Amino acid sequence: MSAVVESDGLSRRPPLRRRRARRRSDAKWAYVYVAPAVALVVGFIGYPLASVIYHAFTTWDGLSPPVWVGWHNFSLLFHDPIFRTAIRNNVLFAISVPIEAIGALILAHLIHQRVPLWRFFRSTFFLPAIYSTVVIGVIISVVLLPQGPVNQILGHVGLSSLRHNWLESSGTAIGSIILVVIWANIGYSVLIYLAGMSSLDPQLEEAARLDGAKFWGVLWKVHAPNLRRVVELVFVINTITAFAYMLPYIYTITQGGPGFSTYATEYYIYDTGFTGQRLGYASAIGMVLAVIMLAIGAIQVRILTRGGRI
Amino acid sequence: MSVGTAPANHSRWRGTRLRERIPAQHRKPSRFAQIAGMLLLSASAVFPVYFMLSGALRSQAAWSHSQIGLPTTTSLSAFKAAWSSAQIGLYVRNSAIVTLGTVVLTLVVASTAGYAFAQLRWRGRGFAYLFVIAWLAVPPVALMVPVYEEMNSLGLINTYWSVILFYTAINTPFNVYLMSSYLRGLPDELMEAARMDGARVHSTFLRVIMPMARPAIATLAVFNFLFAWNEFVFALLLLQSDNVKTATVGVLQLQGRFSVNYPVLVAGLLITSLPVIGVYLFFQRYLVRAIVAGAVR
Amino acid sequence: MTRKRGLLATTAVLAAIILGACGSSSSGGSQKARGGSHTLHLWLGGDLTQATHGSPFLAWVDQQIGRFEVQNHGWKIVTSLLPFSNGANAAQLEAAFASHNTPDLMNLYSGQFTNAYTKVLLPLTSFVAKTPGLYGSIPESVWNIECTKYQCNGGKGTILGVPWNSGAYYLFYNKALLAKAGIAQPPATYTQLFADCTKLRAAGVLPLSMGASDGYDTSNVFTSNLVSTLGPGDMSAILAGKLGYDNPKLVAALQPVLQLTSPSTKCTSTDALGQDQLHGINAFQAGQAAMTPYFGLQLATFKQALGTKLGVAPLPLSGSGPLLHVNNGYAGNPFDGWVIPKGSQNVAMAWKFIQIASDAAANRTSQSEMGLSPAVTSVVARLRDPLQKTAAKLAANPAIPELDQVMPGTFAIFMYKQLGLGQEGKQSAEQTLKALQQYAVSQPKQGQ
């Protein structure tokens, strides 16, 4: 540390010897600075995860000691039709990610263009992210009732033919959940895009306009390519949501019904583990989900660290 | 140019000069359709508040007839019933403690780690960084039982610390990522200049880095505020006694298994939502600016 | 500048609240910190999950706690509400049992819960035996669900819980709307019901309102109908795995139930398919539908909405099996019971509270205040209100338990989903029960 203090001020960088000295003292403190983060992830994610991995190879009802069964749970899982439905639904949720990412990009672009009322739009679009999932769930399950507001309104505007038991047919139930999730999270994505757009050089846009680019032209030729990293970030955040944060929506809107048609992997873990008291099997599902997430995570870690210095 | 490495320019995004000069014909296509679409989305975003308010002001009979429409009563009895039977005041206070505790702890953990990863040079830094953010891949729901057992053996069940620690931990990978990548975007010259002035590791952190990191801090504050306030599953599991229950869990006690008084339930939901909506509206200008300035650095 | 000051102020507020949090969380007290203090910890599950402040349920609990505290000086009871939803409830219990963090006593859903937690609940047989008059005060058919294998054998079986109420599923009807179609009596058989549906439709009245989306209504109506198709001993054979869930007697009981929502019978509107059990009663409560199947819990609310037009009757039955002549010839069982976890630190005091909560004085108000039929026989006999009397008698001495309460919990949850699909007309009664049977044989044995 003293090496830096003694610097003569002539060179913009301290001499090599002194920089090394600084690194050593940095190193000592660096461990202290990362310690809380490392302790938390090891203590409250790593340790419980190790327990989950162990129990994935057991049958366990949570009451008596677990019994080691090797790969049995995984071979059951392989033939489990509900698990297949759950994975299929996760994939469906993931397919909705591009829809949200592109929709949000267009909305952000509009706000960035300062359409009339843009301030109002900017603040209201974020509102759904504020409501707790409990509020959203209760409201959606009432709004989509057969005699509920959505069908009432469709009746009033002369579209009675579109009235539907929204949550009771497998197609519209899963579609309804996807729409709700997009609606609830689109505000985040819009804000992130706006952030990216505002850090772009305005001259890029101006140049494109001089070349005759209009609304879509500016969006696709200027914003989309220059915001690649931001678009990737939005994809990553929403993909994580699609695989690991769907439980509250399913729990409050359909409870997995009709039948098992809206089960997602996460909901299935909850259902088998707690309602069904099969913690070993639930742990195995958890492990499979973690592996899937790890694969997505590997891609995403590559994206997040690309361009950085680490 | 790459957004990730662009230096911060806090004044640029505020400028409106360019957009105001956009000729009218460039604002196509079909301005009317755009505005109508956006208005529809805005209306749907505001709808829950209207729904809860009008629902709470309907009698139960009027409710079972139709769930939306104009209020049928001016009586605040649904609010009173929700307030007294769900003890919402107490639960909102508990939520506030949990949320603010989580936010503060998160900011400390993420900014110290972010600083070490982005600005300090040390052996094993790359590996440690991957080690911390790799946990992004763990689905929280899988951890329910082991986390409960762990909190129980630490004697933390029914204490605010149980959820504060877990919420902070589960979001640490993302928070650290966000903070490090923001701090990495700060110009090196700043650090060097601080060094020249004789600042040490700590004072650089407190006097140079933290003030610069305000946009990222605000972003993290919002993300984690909303997460902690709205989290349901772990709050249900770890905070069981009445004096520590959070609002999202407590208000659902109004939803009986075989009978439910919807006007009272939505009144309760509205009361529990008001603090967050209020915080958002009050801090909105600052938060939006901060996110806009900092989210993607 | 204002921004800076705002930040400072926010930070100060945060700091103050965090300090406050530390202070109150340490005084919040965990379940463990109870040594020495005379406190009994009671968890309220089952119907008592509705014991929120200002509710009749909490008023009832407080009343019993008051009686207990007067009799046992220096003792206090601290209650915690369990969540109402099956999954969340089970999650909390499972976490508690897995980490030995259980209270001194609990009120839980009977049947699948006492069944699932057999290993961790204290057998109460000797306590019951030592309490004069307790076993005899409640019909054995009500006790049975609280014992292992659902057989209490005159008090000699392993008793795991004390029934808090008795329960059944009923047909509520609107006398005025039935009269409009010239119907004097509620239907007793499905043939009559389907005929009544046609008459009511002709009179412009919606015959039946129900909710099919979660399968709960279907399950209750179906399991109630089993009393008319099963023979003696069939129930035990099903539970022992000797009689398949897809056997013809079960199929026969389910068939007419699935027809309720089919367009051919015109009994329900299409709304029935898109709403859950809870919303299924809306049209009836609003005076638009002539009948609805539901629990007695809603009796007071219905009466408030419909006044003297309200009637209550047994659900229609399709068969004429021998069980109709056993006990009261109806299906039912206690919804909830009092249990003591093995980890209880104050077993003797917990038992004292159970005695108080199960006596005639405690049972007296359960029907009128909470809509729960009393378990104690002498209280049933003394009810005055005709609706309450009918409801209580149908629940009091059942011929068989409701199947979904006694089958393994996972099977029941699978069954609800399949019944939901069946009620929608996506599969026949036979296919529905075949799916359940296939699921049942594919599962590892409970308690393995």
Side-chain angles (χ1 to χ4, degrees), chain A residues 62-63 274, chain B residues 145 148-149 152 157 237 240, chain C residues 31-32 43 82 89-103 106 120:
Chain A
L63 307 177
F274 295 105
Chain B
V145 166
Y148 183 92
E149 284 184 290
N152 185 47
I157 297 291
L237 205 60
Q240 299 170 354
Chain C
Q31 291 285 341
K32 293 264 167 196
W43 284 7
L82 287 166
N89 194 302
Q92 196 160 319
L93 287 174
E94 198 150 311
F97 282 124
S99 53
H100 309 288
N101 186 25
T102 45
M106 301 192 265
V120 284

PDB file of all heavy atoms in Angstrom, chain A residues 62-63 274, chain B residues 145 148-149 152 157 237 240, chain C residues 31-32 43 82 89-103 106 120:
ATOM      1  N   GLY A  62     -39.671 -38.475   4.686  1.00  0.00           N
ATOM      2  CA  GLY A  62     -39.488 -37.340   5.583  1.00  0.00           C
ATOM      3  C   GLY A  62     -39.726 -37.705   7.036  1.00  0.00           C
ATOM      4  O   GLY A  62     -39.441 -36.921   7.936  1.00  0.00           O
ATOM      5  N   LEU A  63     -40.280 -38.883   7.280  1.00  0.00           N
ATOM      6  CA  LEU A  63     -40.617 -39.264   8.648  1.00  0.00           C
ATOM      7  C   LEU A  63     -39.634 -40.297   9.186  1.00  0.00           C
ATOM      8  O   LEU A  63     -39.110 -40.161  10.282  1.00  0.00           O
ATOM      9  CB  LEU A  63     -42.045 -39.824   8.710  1.00  0.00           C
ATOM     10  CG  LEU A  63     -43.118 -38.930   8.092  1.00  0.00           C
ATOM     11  CD1 LEU A  63     -44.475 -39.612   8.151  1.00  0.00           C
ATOM     12  CD2 LEU A  63     -43.184 -37.593   8.807  1.00  0.00           C
ATOM     13  N   PHE A 274     -44.117 -32.794  -1.327  1.00  0.00           N
ATOM     14  CA  PHE A 274     -44.878 -32.399  -0.147  1.00  0.00           C
ATOM     15  C   PHE A 274     -46.251 -33.017  -0.101  1.00  0.00           C
ATOM     16  O   PHE A 274     -46.582 -33.728   0.847  1.00  0.00           O
ATOM     17  CB  PHE A 274     -44.934 -30.885  -0.062  1.00  0.00           C
ATOM     18  CG  PHE A 274     -43.575 -30.344   0.164  1.00  0.00           C
ATOM     19  CD1 PHE A 274     -42.879 -29.725  -0.849  1.00  0.00           C
ATOM     20  CD2 PHE A 274     -42.957 -30.537   1.374  1.00  0.00           C
ATOM     21  CE1 PHE A 274     -41.594 -29.291  -0.647  1.00  0.00           C
ATOM     22  CE2 PHE A 274     -41.668 -30.113   1.591  1.00  0.00           C
ATOM     23  CZ  PHE A 274     -40.985 -29.472   0.575  1.00  0.00           C
TER      24      PHE A 274
ATOM     25  N   VAL B 145     -36.880 -28.600   1.691  1.00  0.00           N
ATOM     26  CA  VAL B 145     -36.721 -29.390   2.913  1.00  0.00           C
ATOM     27  C   VAL B 145     -35.344 -29.221   3.562  1.00  0.00           C
ATOM     28  O   VAL B 145     -35.255 -28.925   4.750  1.00  0.00           O
ATOM     29  CB  VAL B 145     -37.085 -30.869   2.678  1.00  0.00           C
ATOM     30  CG1 VAL B 145     -36.607 -31.737   3.809  1.00  0.00           C
ATOM     31  CG2 VAL B 145     -38.580 -31.001   2.513  1.00  0.00           C
ATOM     32  N   TYR B 148     -35.161 -25.939   5.297  1.00  0.00           N
ATOM     33  CA  TYR B 148     -35.933 -25.918   6.539  1.00  0.00           C
ATOM     34  C   TYR B 148     -35.141 -26.586   7.660  1.00  0.00           C
ATOM     35  O   TYR B 148     -35.024 -26.058   8.762  1.00  0.00           O
ATOM     36  CB  TYR B 148     -37.281 -26.613   6.360  1.00  0.00           C
ATOM     37  CG  TYR B 148     -38.135 -26.548   7.605  1.00  0.00           C
ATOM     38  CD1 TYR B 148     -39.040 -25.508   7.783  1.00  0.00           C
ATOM     39  CD2 TYR B 148     -38.014 -27.492   8.612  1.00  0.00           C
ATOM     40  CE1 TYR B 148     -39.802 -25.426   8.930  1.00  0.00           C
ATOM     41  CE2 TYR B 148     -38.768 -27.421   9.766  1.00  0.00           C
ATOM     42  CZ  TYR B 148     -39.675 -26.389   9.922  1.00  0.00           C
ATOM     43  OH  TYR B 148     -40.420 -26.298  11.069  1.00  0.00           O
ATOM     44  N   GLU B 149     -34.575 -27.764   7.347  1.00  0.00           N
ATOM     45  CA  GLU B 149     -33.817 -28.486   8.376  1.00  0.00           C
ATOM     46  C   GLU B 149     -32.632 -27.668   8.858  1.00  0.00           C
ATOM     47  O   GLU B 149     -32.343 -27.599  10.046  1.00  0.00           O
ATOM     48  CB  GLU B 149     -33.307 -29.814   7.809  1.00  0.00           C
ATOM     49  CG  GLU B 149     -34.386 -30.855   7.695  1.00  0.00           C
ATOM     50  CD  GLU B 149     -33.805 -32.177   7.225  1.00  0.00           C
ATOM     51  OE1 GLU B 149     -33.407 -32.259   6.054  1.00  0.00           O
ATOM     52  OE2 GLU B 149     -33.742 -33.101   8.034  1.00  0.00           O
ATOM     53  N   ASN B 152     -33.702 -24.843  10.990  1.00  0.00           N
ATOM     54  CA  ASN B 152     -34.136 -25.360  12.269  1.00  0.00           C
ATOM     55  C   ASN B 152     -32.938 -25.672  13.161  1.00  0.00           C
ATOM     56  O   ASN B 152     -32.929 -25.333  14.345  1.00  0.00           O
ATOM     57  CB  ASN B 152     -34.992 -26.611  12.058  1.00  0.00           C
ATOM     58  CG  ASN B 152     -35.573 -27.109  13.351  1.00  0.00           C
ATOM     59  OD1 ASN B 152     -36.118 -26.328  14.127  1.00  0.00           O
ATOM     60  ND2 ASN B 152     -35.450 -28.394  13.593  1.00  0.00           N
ATOM     61  N   ILE B 157     -35.810 -20.856  12.700  1.00  0.00           N
ATOM     62  CA  ILE B 157     -37.210 -20.949  12.296  1.00  0.00           C
ATOM     63  C   ILE B 157     -38.013 -19.904  13.071  1.00  0.00           C
ATOM     64  O   ILE B 157     -37.768 -19.684  14.260  1.00  0.00           O
ATOM     65  CB  ILE B 157     -37.775 -22.361  12.606  1.00  0.00           C
ATOM     66  CG1 ILE B 157     -37.040 -23.407  11.795  1.00  0.00           C
ATOM     67  CG2 ILE B 157     -39.272 -22.433  12.334  1.00  0.00           C
ATOM     68  CD1 ILE B 157     -37.297 -23.375  10.320  1.00  0.00           C
ATOM     69  N   LEU B 237     -42.965 -21.479   4.720  1.00  0.00           N
ATOM     70  CA  LEU B 237     -42.310 -22.587   5.394  1.00  0.00           C
ATOM     71  C   LEU B 237     -41.525 -22.125   6.627  1.00  0.00           C
ATOM     72  O   LEU B 237     -41.545 -22.776   7.663  1.00  0.00           O
ATOM     73  CB  LEU B 237     -41.341 -23.228   4.387  1.00  0.00           C
ATOM     74  CG  LEU B 237     -40.976 -24.674   4.586  1.00  0.00           C
ATOM     75  CD1 LEU B 237     -42.222 -25.533   4.531  1.00  0.00           C
ATOM     76  CD2 LEU B 237     -40.010 -25.087   3.486  1.00  0.00           C
ATOM     77  N   GLN B 240     -43.724 -19.296  10.516  1.00  0.00           N
ATOM     78  CA  GLN B 240     -45.029 -19.890  10.759  1.00  0.00           C
ATOM     79  C   GLN B 240     -45.828 -19.198  11.845  1.00  0.00           C
ATOM     80  O   GLN B 240     -47.045 -19.212  11.831  1.00  0.00           O
ATOM     81  CB  GLN B 240     -44.871 -21.366  11.105  1.00  0.00           C
ATOM     82  CG  GLN B 240     -44.226 -22.142   9.966  1.00  0.00           C
ATOM     83  CD  GLN B 240     -43.837 -23.540  10.372  1.00  0.00           C
ATOM     84  OE1 GLN B 240     -43.941 -23.912  11.533  1.00  0.00           O
ATOM     85  NE2 GLN B 240     -43.389 -24.324   9.416  1.00  0.00           N
TER      86      GLN B 240
ATOM     87  N   GLN C  31     -39.777 -22.284  18.334  1.00  0.00           N
ATOM     88  CA  GLN C  31     -40.518 -23.337  19.017  1.00  0.00           C
ATOM     89  C   GLN C  31     -39.689 -23.998  20.113  1.00  0.00           C
ATOM     90  O   GLN C  31     -40.221 -24.492  21.078  1.00  0.00           O
ATOM     91  CB  GLN C  31     -40.931 -24.404  17.995  1.00  0.00           C
ATOM     92  CG  GLN C  31     -41.971 -23.929  17.013  1.00  0.00           C
ATOM     93  CD  GLN C  31     -43.356 -23.847  17.630  1.00  0.00           C
ATOM     94  OE1 GLN C  31     -43.613 -24.449  18.662  1.00  0.00           O
ATOM     95  NE2 GLN C  31     -44.224 -23.081  17.023  1.00  0.00           N
ATOM     96  N   LYS C  32     -38.396 -24.018  19.922  1.00  0.00           N
ATOM     97  CA  LYS C  32     -37.519 -24.718  20.861  1.00  0.00           C
ATOM     98  C   LYS C  32     -37.455 -24.009  22.206  1.00  0.00           C
ATOM     99  O   LYS C  32     -37.285 -24.636  23.236  1.00  0.00           O
ATOM    100  CB  LYS C  32     -36.114 -24.823  20.276  1.00  0.00           C
ATOM    101  CG  LYS C  32     -36.050 -25.716  19.064  1.00  0.00           C
ATOM    102  CD  LYS C  32     -35.614 -27.115  19.441  1.00  0.00           C
ATOM    103  CE  LYS C  32     -35.874 -28.037  18.256  1.00  0.00           C
ATOM    104  NZ  LYS C  32     -35.844 -29.438  18.596  1.00  0.00           N
ATOM    105  N   TRP C  43     -51.066 -26.314  16.978  1.00  0.00           N
ATOM    106  CA  TRP C  43     -51.196 -25.957  15.561  1.00  0.00           C
ATOM    107  C   TRP C  43     -52.606 -26.258  15.095  1.00  0.00           C
ATOM    108  O   TRP C  43     -53.127 -27.343  15.347  1.00  0.00           O
ATOM    109  CB  TRP C  43     -50.192 -26.739  14.709  1.00  0.00           C
ATOM    110  CG  TRP C  43     -48.797 -26.223  14.811  1.00  0.00           C
ATOM    111  CD1 TRP C  43     -48.340 -25.253  15.655  1.00  0.00           C
ATOM    112  CD2 TRP C  43     -47.666 -26.674  14.059  1.00  0.00           C
ATOM    113  NE1 TRP C  43     -46.999 -25.050  15.469  1.00  0.00           N
ATOM    114  CE2 TRP C  43     -46.559 -25.914  14.497  1.00  0.00           C
ATOM    115  CE3 TRP C  43     -47.475 -27.623  13.065  1.00  0.00           C
ATOM    116  CZ2 TRP C  43     -45.279 -26.095  13.962  1.00  0.00           C
ATOM    117  CZ3 TRP C  43     -46.205 -27.805  12.534  1.00  0.00           C
ATOM    118  CH2 TRP C  43     -45.121 -27.039  12.980  1.00  0.00           C
ATOM    119  N   LEU C  82     -52.095 -23.399  10.449  1.00  0.00           N
ATOM    120  CA  LEU C  82     -51.494 -24.056   9.290  1.00  0.00           C
ATOM    121  C   LEU C  82     -52.152 -23.492   8.040  1.00  0.00           C
ATOM    122  O   LEU C  82     -53.271 -22.996   8.102  1.00  0.00           O
ATOM    123  CB  LEU C  82     -51.719 -25.567   9.373  1.00  0.00           C
ATOM    124  CG  LEU C  82     -50.875 -26.294  10.427  1.00  0.00           C
ATOM    125  CD1 LEU C  82     -51.395 -27.699  10.675  1.00  0.00           C
ATOM    126  CD2 LEU C  82     -49.425 -26.350   9.994  1.00  0.00           C
ATOM    127  N   ASN C  89     -50.020 -27.054   3.324  1.00  0.00           N
ATOM    128  CA  ASN C  89     -50.225 -27.661   4.631  1.00  0.00           C
ATOM    129  C   ASN C  89     -49.279 -28.841   4.810  1.00  0.00           C
ATOM    130  O   ASN C  89     -48.569 -28.951   5.825  1.00  0.00           O
ATOM    131  CB  ASN C  89     -51.695 -28.130   4.678  1.00  0.00           C
ATOM    132  CG  ASN C  89     -52.152 -28.464   6.067  1.00  0.00           C
ATOM    133  OD1 ASN C  89     -51.567 -29.324   6.712  1.00  0.00           O
ATOM    134  ND2 ASN C  89     -53.180 -27.790   6.527  1.00  0.00           N
ATOM    135  N   ALA C  90     -49.268 -29.714   3.806  1.00  0.00           N
ATOM    136  CA  ALA C  90     -48.413 -30.895   3.881  1.00  0.00           C
ATOM    137  C   ALA C  90     -46.943 -30.499   3.924  1.00  0.00           C
ATOM    138  O   ALA C  90     -46.158 -31.100   4.652  1.00  0.00           O
ATOM    139  CB  ALA C  90     -48.686 -31.810   2.694  1.00  0.00           C
ATOM    140  N   ALA C  91     -46.593 -29.463   3.161  1.00  0.00           N
ATOM    141  CA  ALA C  91     -45.202 -29.019   3.136  1.00  0.00           C
ATOM    142  C   ALA C  91     -44.750 -28.606   4.531  1.00  0.00           C
ATOM    143  O   ALA C  91     -43.681 -28.978   4.999  1.00  0.00           O
ATOM    144  CB  ALA C  91     -45.030 -27.856   2.165  1.00  0.00           C
ATOM    145  N   GLN C  92     -45.602 -27.853   5.187  1.00  0.00           N
ATOM    146  CA  GLN C  92     -45.232 -27.353   6.505  1.00  0.00           C
ATOM    147  C   GLN C  92     -45.125 -28.498   7.514  1.00  0.00           C
ATOM    148  O   GLN C  92     -44.194 -28.559   8.309  1.00  0.00           O
ATOM    149  CB  GLN C  92     -46.265 -26.321   6.956  1.00  0.00           C
ATOM    150  CG  GLN C  92     -45.767 -25.485   8.104  1.00  0.00           C
ATOM    151  CD  GLN C  92     -46.554 -24.198   8.226  1.00  0.00           C
ATOM    152  OE1 GLN C  92     -46.877 -23.567   7.232  1.00  0.00           O
ATOM    153  NE2 GLN C  92     -46.874 -23.812   9.432  1.00  0.00           N
ATOM    154  N   LEU C  93     -46.078 -29.423   7.461  1.00  0.00           N
ATOM    155  CA  LEU C  93     -46.045 -30.545   8.394  1.00  0.00           C
ATOM    156  C   LEU C  93     -44.822 -31.421   8.143  1.00  0.00           C
ATOM    157  O   LEU C  93     -44.139 -31.848   9.071  1.00  0.00           O
ATOM    158  CB  LEU C  93     -47.310 -31.394   8.234  1.00  0.00           C
ATOM    159  CG  LEU C  93     -48.586 -30.769   8.788  1.00  0.00           C
ATOM    160  CD1 LEU C  93     -49.780 -31.633   8.446  1.00  0.00           C
ATOM    161  CD2 LEU C  93     -48.474 -30.597  10.294  1.00  0.00           C
ATOM    162  N   GLU C  94     -44.564 -31.658   6.848  1.00  0.00           N
ATOM    163  CA  GLU C  94     -43.464 -32.540   6.520  1.00  0.00           C
ATOM    164  C   GLU C  94     -42.130 -31.965   6.978  1.00  0.00           C
ATOM    165  O   GLU C  94     -41.295 -32.667   7.538  1.00  0.00           O
ATOM    166  CB  GLU C  94     -43.441 -32.742   5.017  1.00  0.00           C
ATOM    167  CG  GLU C  94     -42.649 -33.942   4.649  1.00  0.00           C
ATOM    168  CD  GLU C  94     -43.193 -34.540   3.378  1.00  0.00           C
ATOM    169  OE1 GLU C  94     -44.408 -34.730   3.284  1.00  0.00           O
ATOM    170  OE2 GLU C  94     -42.391 -34.801   2.494  1.00  0.00           O
ATOM    171  N   ALA C  95     -41.967 -30.652   6.735  1.00  0.00           N
ATOM    172  CA  ALA C  95     -40.732 -30.003   7.166  1.00  0.00           C
ATOM    173  C   ALA C  95     -40.610 -30.090   8.682  1.00  0.00           C
ATOM    174  O   ALA C  95     -39.537 -30.343   9.229  1.00  0.00           O
ATOM    175  CB  ALA C  95     -40.719 -28.559   6.699  1.00  0.00           C
ATOM    176  N   ALA C  96     -41.729 -29.894   9.369  1.00  0.00           N
ATOM    177  CA  ALA C  96     -41.702 -29.916  10.832  1.00  0.00           C
ATOM    178  C   ALA C  96     -41.346 -31.306  11.353  1.00  0.00           C
ATOM    179  O   ALA C  96     -40.496 -31.452  12.233  1.00  0.00           O
ATOM    180  CB  ALA C  96     -43.055 -29.477  11.378  1.00  0.00           C
ATOM    181  N   PHE C  97     -41.971 -32.328  10.781  1.00  0.00           N
ATOM    182  CA  PHE C  97     -41.685 -33.685  11.246  1.00  0.00           C
ATOM    183  C   PHE C  97     -40.259 -34.088  10.902  1.00  0.00           C
ATOM    184  O   PHE C  97     -39.565 -34.702  11.706  1.00  0.00           O
ATOM    185  CB  PHE C  97     -42.669 -34.691  10.634  1.00  0.00           C
ATOM    186  CG  PHE C  97     -44.015 -34.689  11.299  1.00  0.00           C
ATOM    187  CD1 PHE C  97     -45.172 -34.485  10.569  1.00  0.00           C
ATOM    188  CD2 PHE C  97     -44.119 -34.903  12.676  1.00  0.00           C
ATOM    189  CE1 PHE C  97     -46.419 -34.491  11.186  1.00  0.00           C
ATOM    190  CE2 PHE C  97     -45.365 -34.914  13.299  1.00  0.00           C
ATOM    191  CZ  PHE C  97     -46.519 -34.700  12.549  1.00  0.00           C
ATOM    192  N   ALA C  98     -39.821 -33.744   9.693  1.00  0.00           N
ATOM    193  CA  ALA C  98     -38.484 -34.138   9.254  1.00  0.00           C
ATOM    194  C   ALA C  98     -37.417 -33.550  10.170  1.00  0.00           C
ATOM    195  O   ALA C  98     -36.372 -34.151  10.374  1.00  0.00           O
ATOM    196  CB  ALA C  98     -38.249 -33.713   7.815  1.00  0.00           C
ATOM    197  N   SER C  99     -37.680 -32.393  10.746  1.00  0.00           N
ATOM    198  CA  SER C  99     -36.643 -31.784  11.574  1.00  0.00           C
ATOM    199  C   SER C  99     -37.053 -31.767  13.043  1.00  0.00           C
ATOM    200  O   SER C  99     -36.500 -31.020  13.830  1.00  0.00           O
ATOM    201  CB  SER C  99     -36.333 -30.375  11.073  1.00  0.00           C
ATOM    202  OG  SER C  99     -37.520 -29.652  10.987  1.00  0.00           O
ATOM    203  N   HIS C 100     -37.987 -32.600  13.400  1.00  0.00           N
ATOM    204  CA  HIS C 100     -38.406 -32.758  14.803  1.00  0.00           C
ATOM    205  C   HIS C 100     -38.747 -31.431  15.453  1.00  0.00           C
ATOM    206  O   HIS C 100     -38.341 -31.155  16.577  1.00  0.00           O
ATOM    207  CB  HIS C 100     -37.332 -33.485  15.608  1.00  0.00           C
ATOM    208  CG  HIS C 100     -36.889 -34.740  14.954  1.00  0.00           C
ATOM    209  ND1 HIS C 100     -37.679 -35.866  14.893  1.00  0.00           N
ATOM    210  CD2 HIS C 100     -35.755 -35.040  14.264  1.00  0.00           C
ATOM    211  CE1 HIS C 100     -37.044 -36.809  14.220  1.00  0.00           C
ATOM    212  NE2 HIS C 100     -35.880 -36.332  13.818  1.00  0.00           N
ATOM    213  N   ASN C 101     -39.457 -30.626  14.729  1.00  0.00           N
ATOM    214  CA  ASN C 101     -39.812 -29.299  15.238  1.00  0.00           C
ATOM    215  C   ASN C 101     -41.328 -29.207  15.311  1.00  0.00           C
ATOM    216  O   ASN C 101     -41.955 -28.378  14.672  1.00  0.00           O
ATOM    217  CB  ASN C 101     -39.237 -28.234  14.299  1.00  0.00           C
ATOM    218  CG  ASN C 101     -39.432 -26.839  14.837  1.00  0.00           C
ATOM    219  OD1 ASN C 101     -39.562 -26.647  16.048  1.00  0.00           O
ATOM    220  ND2 ASN C 101     -39.477 -25.865  13.950  1.00  0.00           N
ATOM    221  N   THR C 102     -41.938 -30.117  16.067  1.00  0.00           N
ATOM    222  CA  THR C 102     -43.396 -30.189  16.100  1.00  0.00           C
ATOM    223  C   THR C 102     -43.946 -29.606  17.398  1.00  0.00           C
ATOM    224  O   THR C 102     -43.249 -29.548  18.407  1.00  0.00           O
ATOM    225  CB  THR C 102     -43.860 -31.644  15.959  1.00  0.00           C
ATOM    226  OG1 THR C 102     -43.059 -32.451  16.811  1.00  0.00           O
ATOM    227  CG2 THR C 102     -43.746 -32.115  14.542  1.00  0.00           C
ATOM    228  N   PRO C 103     -45.217 -29.193  17.380  1.00  0.00           N
ATOM    229  CA  PRO C 103     -45.826 -28.620  18.574  1.00  0.00           C
ATOM    230  C   PRO C 103     -46.294 -29.713  19.535  1.00  0.00           C
ATOM    231  O   PRO C 103     -46.094 -30.900  19.285  1.00  0.00           O
ATOM    232  CB  PRO C 103     -47.027 -27.878  18.002  1.00  0.00           C
ATOM    233  CG  PRO C 103     -47.422 -28.693  16.838  1.00  0.00           C
ATOM    234  CD  PRO C 103     -46.148 -29.223  16.249  1.00  0.00           C
ATOM    235  N   MET C 106     -51.990 -30.909  17.832  1.00  0.00           N
ATOM    236  CA  MET C 106     -52.457 -30.348  16.571  1.00  0.00           C
ATOM    237  C   MET C 106     -53.890 -30.772  16.303  1.00  0.00           C
ATOM    238  O   MET C 106     -54.348 -31.794  16.807  1.00  0.00           O
ATOM    239  CB  MET C 106     -51.611 -30.869  15.401  1.00  0.00           C
ATOM    240  CG  MET C 106     -50.147 -30.569  15.477  1.00  0.00           C
ATOM    241  SD  MET C 106     -49.339 -30.925  13.891  1.00  0.00           S
ATOM    242  CE  MET C 106     -48.754 -32.560  14.181  1.00  0.00           C
ATOM    243  N   VAL C 120     -45.376 -40.837  13.224  1.00  0.00           N
ATOM    244  CA  VAL C 120     -44.881 -39.734  14.052  1.00  0.00           C
ATOM    245  C   VAL C 120     -45.936 -39.230  15.030  1.00  0.00           C
ATOM    246  O   VAL C 120     -45.703 -38.271  15.750  1.00  0.00           O
ATOM    247  CB  VAL C 120     -44.387 -38.562  13.173  1.00  0.00           C
ATOM    248  CG1 VAL C 120     -43.045 -38.904  12.572  1.00  0.00           C
ATOM    249  CG2 VAL C 120     -45.400 -38.221  12.112  1.00  0.00           C
TER     250      VAL C 120
END
